[in-house]
Amino acid sequence: MATAGKVIRCKAAVAWEFNQPLVIEEVEVAPPQEKEIRIKIVATGVCQSDLYFLCKCLNKVTLPAVFGHEAAGVVESIGPGVTEFQPGDTVIPLFMPHCRECRFCKSPKTNLCVNGSLGQINERSFEQSRISCRGRKLLQFLGTGTFSEFTVVKEICLAKIDPAAPLDKVCLIGCAICTGYGAAINTAKVEAGSSCAVFGLGAVGLAAVMGCRAAGASRIIAIDINPEKFEKAKVLGATDVVNPNDHSRPIQQLLQEMTGGGVDFSFECIGNVEVMHSALESCVPGWGVSVIVGWTDMQNCSAPPIQLMTGRKWTGTLFGGFKGKDGIPQMVKAYLDRKLMVDEFITHNLRLDQINEAVELMKNGQCIRAVLSVSPQ
Ligand code: CXF
Ligand code: ZN
């Protein structure tokens, strides 16, 4: 491409200050360095985690920054030493690297990678950023930074996908869909005929419902305090819907009654430590598994030891346990084979320059996912 090796000037949504609207700016995207790839972002989702670090949890991310990590695009150019990608490849960035060589990558038991998994949210340095604005480096959130027409990622942070995939849909496979679906399939290993409870019916919770159904669960109880979420939950496989505010007794007691002693699997998809405790207690003693899927780093979660001593298991997941370079192409294929729903998650289609509208929709719980079109494919 004519732009290879040159700085690209393009538009990006820049976070200059916490809790303030993003600003569309002209930025400079440097050419990819050793084992890096520059990609043209075609579409990006707006995820609650982008907003969490922008709004709730001051100073975990150093500003100015380019947020966005759930996206799909096309390789524009490759840096020296890149072996897996060619310009023109269709790709999804990984916010969790997958080097295939470290102790974690070699183990089938985890999708962590020694090259940095989220522990490094606030450690990714400005020096490593390839995006700058008026001479100032902008931090690339989670090593990605997809609220930009172009971005640069490491080769270990990129998955190649089927060129036939519609990028304005499969971008959601880059975070929410894998996170929820994988929590059920990979982390909990939901069994056919089992009972499941999903707390929180945002995109991640709905994807967990879909994963429970794919695993053959016979009872999938979807829980939210916003009854407007229930219709979609049923489309994705919920057999029962519950609004905790409609009941005077605690939700865990209600679920125990509904299932004769507790569900086999529960999923917390909110990031609320009280709900994490409720989700654990909703599980049947003996073998119940409760998975923490929602993110918070503002509080610790706790439970009476007897909850665990009686045989419930409490675990958690990042990106649904998927190893990105393998899992993402498989999930894209499942979507193309009509075995995975993705379109159902998209409630709004906007452009990158309308990002602040998308942020407001997400904050108000009015949308599941807004997909922003960023560049033409
Ligand atoms: C999150 C998980 C919590 C840290 C930031 C990324 N995953 C996707 O949004
Ligand atoms: Zn996300």
Side-chain angles (χ1 to χ4, degrees), residues 79-138:
V82 167
T83 56
E84 270 181 67
F85 297 89
Q86 291 294 322
D89 285 347
T90 49
V91 289
I92 289 182
L94 310 179
F95 62 85
M96 293 177 69
H98 184 191
C99 77
R100 297 187 186 276
E101 278 163 15
C102 73
R103 180 179 179 196
F104 296 107
C105 283
K106 281 187 183 150
S107 166
K109 295 180 184 176
T110 182
N111 64 340
L112 300 179
C113 171
V114 78
N115 294 290
S117 301
L118 302 177
Q120 302 192 344
I121 283 172
N122 45 0
E123 288 166 29
R124 302 239 196 210
S125 62
F126 279 93
E127 295 79 75
Q128 279 184 39
S129 173
R130 304 286 170 250
I131 309 182
S132 52
C133 183
R134 295 193 283 276
R136 231 173 129 183
K137 289 250 190 186
L138 308 178

Side-chain angles (χ1 to χ4, degrees), residues 47 49-50 53 69 95 118 121 141-142 175 179 295 318-319:
C47 170
S49 333
D50 298 306
F53 290 98
H69 60 282
F95 62 85
L118 302 177
I121 283 172
F141 180 55
L142 299 178
C175 185
T179 300
W295 173 265
L318 289 167
F319 199 51

Side-chain angles (χ1 to χ4, degrees), residues 11-17 20-27 65-66 133-134 138 147 352-353 355-356:
K11 296 266 184 272
V14 178
W16 294 103
E17 282 179 79
Q20 291 298 314
L22 303 174
V23 184
I24 303 291
E25 302 273 10
E26 186 172 280
V27 297
V66 176
C133 183
R134 295 193 283 276
L138 308 178
F147 295 160
L352 179 63
D353 61 20
I355 189 161
N356 291 310

Side-chain angles (χ1 to χ4, degrees), residues 1 3 7 17 40 82 90 129 146 157-158 161 178 234 242 248 261-262 276 319 321 330 356 364 369-371:
M1 275 201 207
T3 45
V7 170
E17 282 179 79
K40 180 178 73 174
V82 167
T90 49
S129 173
T146 61
C157 295
L158 200 61
I161 62 167
C178 282
K234 287 181 190 159
V242 176
S248 53
M276 289 173 191
F319 199 51
Q330 285 163 13
N356 291 310
N364 302 335
R369 269 295 187 270
V371 169

